[in-house]
Structure formats: structure tokens, C-alpha cells
Amino acid sequence: MKKIIPIEEGDYYLTPEGYRCFTEQYHLKRGYCCESGCRHCPYEYNKATNSIKK
């Protein structure tokens, strides 16, 4: 079962298109890589090779 992480200030920003973009702060709080190729992934996931560097 996945843990629910409360959203706090600095966890995301809105893109010019109106989408939420989660920051590195949020990803670190979550504690794992979702392997979706997120823009601010601190785990350095590479979608092309399907691998995590950290």
C-alpha cells in the first residue's frame, strides 16, 4: 500500500500549460522513483535504458 504524502509549499509548480510539475523536494519526500521520467527526478532515472543511477 502506498503512503499518502501531503502536498506542501515547494512540492510542485504550475507549468505554463497549467500542469503540476513535482519538484525534487517532493520526489525525495516520496522516497522512491516511479520510473515515469519525471523532469526533476533526483534518482536519475533514464527512461531510454530503464535504469536508475542512484
Side-chain angles (χ1 to χ4, degrees):
M1 183 172 181
K2 292 185 180 181
K3 182 180 172 185
I4 296 174
I5 307 296
I7 302 292
E8 298 173 352
E9 187 175 334
D11 284 347
Y12 73 92
Y13 62 90
L14 294 177
T15 66
E17 298 81 19
Y19 296 105
R20 280 188 208 154
C21 185
F22 289 105
T23 61
E24 182 177 357
Q25 171 183 311
Y26 175 78
H27 291 292
L28 289 171
K29 243 188 335 186
R30 185 174 61 191
Y32 65 92
C33 179
C34 64
E35 299 181 356
S36 295
C38 300
R39 184 178 292 174
H40 301 289
C41 181
Y43 304 103
E44 297 183 33
Y45 174 72
N46 184 332
K47 205 169 187 176
T49 62
N50 195 27
S51 63
I52 298 173
K53 291 184 183 177
K54 288 186 180 180

